[in-house]
Amino acid sequence: MIPAHVNDAPPPVYADSLDIPVLFRDGPARRPYPQWRTAPHAPWDTAATFPTSDGWYAPTTTWREIIKAATEVGRDVTPNLQQVPQLARGELVARVSPLYAYLGLHDVTPKHPLPHSVGRRLTLNAVYEYGTERTAKNALGYRLGMTMAEWACRSLMGLGQTWHLEDGGPDPALADAFKDPTRRLPDLWGRHEAENAYWLIEAKGGNVGKTTLRDGWKQLSEGSKILHAYTHRRILVGAAVQPQGDLFLTIDHDQHPGQPPLDTGGVSPTPTIPSSPEDHLGASDDALMGTARTQMLVYLALRSAPPSQLRTIALPADRTTRRRRREGITIPLEGDDATRALRADARGATSNLDNEQSLREGARLIGLDDFLTCRIPGTEVHLGMSRRLFAACARLHHEDRMIAERTPGLRAEDQHFAEEPTDEEAEEERRRTQRRIFREQQEEARPRVRRLVRQAYDQGADREWSDLLPDQQEPRLDLDDHPGLLEAATPETYLALRQDDLPYRRR
């Protein structure tokens, strides 16, 4: 029998494909210069799982997949945006723009090339190399580290949603220890469904050396002391990049035995295949809550966008065509024959219709759903989501606003700027206290809110966009062909960017 990992044809190569060297090892060590270029690399055949052995690998991904990770990882700032949702667009720009500003693509011929590699890798561009100040380099290092840790854990190794550890960690009984500001803890945690184990994750980025990695390992050790009763992995992701070099990752790791994770409310503890939270939205209220929470920045950006900037795009209503793909979370739509065929059918069937409602009804009869999307100002990135996920986010946003109004000092109008400003540490402690109070009230309201969000999600498919958007507008349904737009989708979300807006490629 031919092994399952052997393909009879090379995988599709998308316009924004690139290779990322990844080194798995048992603990922090010296930077492996220049092994990311000279060492033999194994193909990435362990789809959405942790590899069975250490060593160098060379997975291929897309720039869209990396941008998806950038928009979703990091501290949840939406509690502070309840009165100013338009600032969500600025936060999305802050997460994406450093990557566009300082990274580029270049062609590479490794010493030991793999058959399915595309021969393109990320590197630093000339602006970073010759003109960027140290503080800006540090900013890129933080954003690059967080983005690539998210990409590696979720797109590469099949981890579920990641969360900032400062919000309390996976066990409410341990929340006070995880929120303790005196402890230097790792950045993120998540639950790997196939492993049935928690992951603690620390991200480092930039000119990452052994000293930096040792500091990250200490942070993971502190988190492990708190979580020691549960089965968990420690994952240290170093996203290292230097001038004239390739972006490569070191993933230092170890595993701790213990009790199984807490019940997740409907997601099977022993699945037969790796999956993501979006694969369980119909069955798990916790998966729905987690996905809605992750997409709140995008929801607020869509909700606050001027009507002229909004449109809806057509995707197959059958979500099974967009289940988790082998190489990551998103499905590149230029390789999705079903989507292209349905869109072509819809253009032919609705060519004589000029009423938006009739257009939508005609598209639905063919088997299409319409996702709301807009371009994020200051970028060429288009983000969007389905009608029912938008409805779920709207309900969650409403409940969060009610909590924010009861949280002293959280809202902008509660700030007293005439007072003498405090020092930075005191100000950070005040903000940390506000976030803690807000999160505690969220957890207290969670059973009730979970039911309301489920109800909104289930009813969302039958609602019109004019019912869901604040200005009661009905965005234009776009069925046109856009050859220069690189689209990608998950069951409930959408991302696209222009092909001519990819990172600058050195010749």
Side-chain angles (χ1 to χ4, degrees):
M1 179 179 293
I2 298 175
H5 69 272
V6 175
N7 297 316
D8 61 357
V13 176
Y14 302 106
D16 58 345
S17 293
L18 51 99
D19 307 319
I20 298 181
V22 182
L23 173 62
F24 287 85
R25 57 191 186 183
D26 292 335
R30 294 176 59 187
R31 184 184 298 130
Y33 178 84
Q35 296 173 18
W36 64 79
R37 191 77 64 79
T38 61
H41 288 56
W44 185 258
D45 290 329
T46 53
T49 59
F50 200 86
T52 56
S53 60
D54 286 343
W56 280 102
Y57 295 84
T60 298
T61 189
T62 65
W63 182 244
R64 278 166 286 184
E65 193 81 10
I66 292 173
I67 293 301
K68 175 78 168 171
T71 62
E72 295 184 358
V73 68
R75 173 183 287 172
D76 179 13
V77 300
T78 55
N80 305 100
L81 303 179
Q82 299 303 318
Q83 305 300 320
V84 280
Q86 62 270 24
L87 293 183
R89 287 174 279 166
E91 175 65 18
L92 289 166
V93 171
R95 295 183 178 197
V96 170
S97 59
L99 307 180
Y100 274 100
Y102 298 127
L103 294 180
L105 287 167
H106 66 160
D107 297 328
V108 171
T109 303
K111 188 175 180 180
H112 304 279
L114 293 171
H116 296 163
S117 295
V118 295
R120 287 190 301 272
R121 295 183 183 177
L122 286 170
T123 186
L124 296 170
N125 64 25
V127 173
Y128 181 98
E129 189 172 345
Y130 298 109
T132 304
E133 297 178 356
R134 181 176 298 178
T135 50
K137 292 181 178 180
N138 291 338
L140 172 66
Y142 168 77
R143 182 49 55 192
L144 182 65
M146 293 292 283
T147 297
M148 298 314 298
E150 178 84 352
W151 171 81
C153 291
R154 297 202 65 204
S155 296
L156 198 61
M157 296 184 286
L159 186 69
Q161 186 58 52
T162 60
W163 307 100
H164 234 270
L165 201 56
E166 68 173 22
D167 289 336
D171 185 348
L174 304 174
D176 288 342
F178 280 121
K179 294 176 183 177
D180 185 355
T182 65
R183 309 181 82 145
R184 292 191 67 243
L185 297 172
D187 295 311
L188 306 167
W189 72 273
R191 177 178 176 268
H192 197 288
E193 186 182 344
E195 285 192 351
N196 199 30
Y198 294 126
W199 284 16
L200 295 177
I201 307 154
E202 173 62 18
K204 301 294 183 186
N207 192 5
V208 180
K210 187 175 181 179
T211 300
T212 301
L213 292 177
R214 279 180 170 172
D215 288 343
W217 200 252
K218 289 178 182 177
Q219 292 171 253
L220 285 165
S221 297
E222 279 296 303
S224 195
K225 290 176 184 177
I226 301 173
L227 200 60
H228 69 93
Y230 293 100
T231 300
H232 64 278
R233 280 191 188 271
R234 292 192 292 184
I235 304 288
L236 174 60
V237 180
V241 62
Q242 297 173 285
Q244 306 300 319
D246 310 333
L247 170 68
F248 69 93
L249 304 187
T250 55
I251 298 182
D252 303 309
H253 62 92
D254 66 2
Q255 190 169 18
H256 293 257
Q259 302 172 20
L262 299 176
D263 178 59
T264 56
V267 178
S268 171
T270 55
T272 56
I273 58 173
S275 59
S276 68
E278 280 191 55
D279 296 330
H280 300 286
L281 298 191
S284 169
D285 291 346
D286 283 337
L288 176 58
M289 282 283 285
T291 299
R293 181 69 64 200
T294 303
Q295 297 301 318
M296 283 300 288
L297 265 184
V298 179
Y299 163 77
L300 292 174
L302 293 170
R303 178 180 178 271
S304 61
S308 61
Q309 296 180 5
L310 292 172
R311 67 186 180 106
T312 60
I313 54 94
L315 292 173
D318 180 6
R319 265 60 172 178
T320 60
T321 65
R322 298 192 300 278
R323 293 301 183 193
R324 186 185 187 92
R325 70 187 183 98
R326 188 176 185 273
E327 297 87 1
I329 292 174
T330 62
I331 296 287
L333 296 186
E334 68 268 27
D336 186 352
D337 294 336
T339 298
R340 291 205 308 270
L342 284 172
R343 285 177 173 178
D345 291 345
R347 284 194 296 270
T350 61
S351 58
N352 298 324
L353 303 176
D354 55 4
N355 176 273
E356 279 296 329
Q357 186 62 32
S358 299
L359 279 172
R360 293 183 196 283
E361 291 176 356
R364 287 173 188 167
L365 289 174
I366 290 174
L368 289 167
D369 196 1
D370 58 328
F371 280 40
L372 184 69
T373 182
C374 76
R375 180 181 63 83
I376 304 303
T379 75
E380 284 297 331
V381 177
H382 301 246
L383 298 175
M385 67 178 66
S386 71
R387 187 190 308 262
R388 58 187 186 182
L389 181 56
F390 190 94
C393 287
R395 186 70 211 200
L396 185 58
H397 173 64
H398 173 78
E399 298 301 324
D400 282 350
R401 287 189 64 180
M402 299 300 101
I403 295 173
E405 291 179 1
R406 302 193 300 268
T407 304
L410 186 70
R411 301 182 305 166
E413 55 265 41
D414 294 332
Q415 307 301 316
H416 303 289
F417 295 103
E419 298 176 357
E420 184 70 21
T422 59
D423 65 83
E424 188 174 348
E425 287 299 321
E427 184 66 14
E428 176 59 26
E429 177 60 29
R430 183 184 66 82
R431 288 194 292 265
R432 187 184 294 114
T433 299
Q434 291 170 356
R435 290 196 299 271
R436 177 180 56 80
I437 294 172
F438 185 83
R439 299 300 184 203
E440 288 173 352
Q441 292 190 63
Q442 278 184 324
E443 284 304 311
E444 184 178 340
R446 184 179 177 85
R448 178 182 61 84
V449 174
R450 188 165 49 188
R451 291 193 298 271
L452 295 172
V453 171
R454 166 60 61 188
Q455 184 180 41
Y457 177 81
D458 290 342
Q459 296 174 353
D462 297 324
R463 301 183 66 182
E464 300 298 331
W465 284 114
S466 57
D467 298 330
L468 295 169
L469 290 166
D471 294 327
Q472 287 79 52
Q473 66 265 33
E474 194 66 33
R476 179 178 66 89
L477 175 60
D478 186 354
L479 291 171
D480 297 336
D481 228 355
H482 298 280
L485 197 65
L486 297 174
E487 299 177 283
T490 68
E492 304 294 337
T493 69
Y494 174 82
L495 180 148
L497 49 91
R498 293 194 59 82
Q499 187 169 348
D500 56 10
D501 195 50
L502 295 175
Y504 176 75
R505 186 172 174 184
R506 290 182 176 177
R507 300 297 181 183

